[in-house]
Amino acid sequence: MDALTDLLDGPRARGAFMLRAMLDPPWSLRIEDEAPLCVIAVVKGEAWMIPDDGDALRLGRGDIAITSGSGHYTVADDRMTPPQVVIHPGDKCTTLYGEPLREKMALGVRTWGNSADGESVMLIGTYHMRGEITQRLLAALPPLVVLPADAWDNTLLTFLGQEIGKDDPGQEAVLDRLLDLLLISSLRSWFARPGANAPGWYKAHGDPVVGPALQLLHDDMAHPWTVASLAAKTSVSRAALAQRFGKLVGEPPMAYLTGLRLAQAADMLRETDSTLEAVARKVGYSNAFALSTAFKRVRGLSPQEYRARGIA
């Protein structure tokens, strides 16, 4: 398993918020929902993404935007259109004065807006729970990723557009999986773009020495790796591997492995009922005590506290 496959293996939408927005200008939506990740795809017309911190970006038909983190932003028909609607946590939709709008603007199954024949149509998918998205994935993304239509395989939009308005048995599961596929497809394209601000480990994947080393770590993070054993597997000296790995990835091999193990442990603590002992052995620690010591040193709290708080 390569590092990107391992990273993208994380998205697991569960009852994600899915919506088709159909809007005639002027329209402007203020997004304050605090969701860890949201995917917005334009299937008709255009829209402007206006982050509170950053430059406004225009989205045309087939373009996709991915927002990560809890920052607020505005989506509008024009940069100058003032917000008319506020989206709050829990998908609560109101006017600027707090008056509810969700029912007033409902246009059918998972369809919402101010016009049934809107000039702008967007498909929106939101991951509400941080357990649905690994922290390693969120940490690898900037607050806003925008991909033009010709930079990714947007054929999924047609299928998603057909499915989003259905109310068949099992439809929620179908939409969850389609959202995962849409996210993975677009992120894979984004990471591969020339000039993309991809993390060091992704850029290092093509290196003849560090690439195989990364793959070994991701293939079997529970193995008792040392710099020496990793160097032997990649047919270089310990010093050469350590120097090259640190330069390309930004941290030493064992520090990277520790981060990988603890990130996996955190996901398992949040998403499963596995015992601490089972989690420890799964990610490469000899016992629960060893995992607890490392976890608390790096994250500042014990695995039990982390699980009890349900934090990201």
Side-chain angles (χ1 to χ4, degrees):
M1 180 184 294
D2 62 69
L4 183 60
T5 298
D6 192 21
L7 188 77
L8 295 181
D9 192 45
R12 291 288 186 275
R14 293 187 292 271
F17 175 70
M18 296 289 292
L19 183 73
R20 174 170 48 203
M22 308 182 70
L23 299 154
D24 275 340
W27 59 269
S28 180
L29 316 176
R30 176 71 177 163
I31 313 299
E32 299 181 356
D33 62 358
E34 310 291 337
L37 192 143
C38 181
V39 179
I40 300 173
V42 177
V43 295
K44 179 183 175 184
E46 65 176 43
W48 281 88
M49 292 290 300
I50 310 167
D52 284 5
D53 299 313
D55 298 329
L57 296 171
R58 177 189 171 276
L59 301 179
R61 181 178 179 181
D63 296 350
I64 192 167
I66 302 168
T67 66
S68 60
S70 56
H72 299 168
Y73 57 95
T74 300
V75 187
D77 70 304
D78 186 271
R79 286 174 292 181
M80 303 307 293
T81 303
Q84 305 150 341
V85 176
V86 181
I87 308 299
H88 305 271
D91 304 325
K92 180 183 177 183
C93 173
T94 72
T95 66
L96 297 181
Y97 307 102
E99 300 165 352
L101 283 174
R102 183 162 183 159
E103 297 302 322
K104 183 177 180 180
M105 298 182 70
L107 296 174
V109 177
R110 299 186 192 88
T111 304
W112 177 93
N114 62 15
S115 171
D117 299 307
E119 289 185 19
S120 294
V121 178
M122 298 177 291
L123 303 181
I124 302 168
T126 302
Y127 292 82
H128 283 307
M129 303 299 294
R130 290 188 180 274
E132 299 173 296
I133 297 290
T134 65
Q135 277 302 103
R136 285 180 294 127
L137 176 55
L138 292 176
L141 297 176
L144 176 62
V145 170
V146 172
L147 274 171
D150 60 0
W152 70 292
D153 181 9
N154 57 40
T155 55
L156 279 170
L157 290 183
T158 300
F159 192 31
L160 181 58
Q162 293 171 346
E163 292 291 325
I164 202 169
K166 295 181 180 179
D167 200 21
D168 297 338
Q171 194 64 19
E172 187 175 277
V174 170
L175 293 173
D176 282 348
R177 297 293 72 79
L178 283 174
L179 176 58
D180 289 343
L181 286 171
L182 184 65
L183 175 64
I184 290 169
S185 175
S186 53
L187 286 182
R188 185 170 57 185
S189 298
W190 180 78
F191 278 120
R193 289 186 70 197
N197 188 24
W201 54 259
Y202 178 78
K203 297 175 184 177
H205 179 66
D207 183 81
V209 173
V210 180
L214 283 167
Q215 185 155 342
L216 286 166
L217 295 178
H218 282 266
D219 277 346
D220 190 2
M221 73 176 71
H223 183 80
W225 293 108
T226 63
V227 176
S229 63
L230 200 58
K233 285 284 189 179
T234 53
S235 301
V236 296
S237 69
R238 290 174 55 188
L241 175 63
Q243 182 181 28
R244 196 171 185 89
F245 198 104
K247 179 180 179 181
L248 295 179
V249 178
E251 59 183 335
M254 295 302 100
Y256 179 87
L257 178 59
T258 296
L260 183 64
R261 286 171 168 171
L262 294 182
Q264 181 67 30
D267 289 339
M268 291 181 68
L269 288 167
R270 193 170 47 233
E271 299 171 21
T272 75
D273 295 326
S274 298
T275 66
L276 188 56
E277 189 74 26
V279 172
R281 295 188 181 281
K282 178 74 173 179
V283 301
Y285 287 91
S286 58
N287 52 51
F289 178 77
L291 172 60
S292 296
T293 301
F295 200 96
K296 189 165 186 177
R297 183 182 68 250
V298 173
R299 294 187 174 248
L301 72 170
S302 71
Q304 294 90 338
E305 291 171 322
Y306 180 90
R307 173 174 268 171
R309 296 185 189 184
I311 63 177

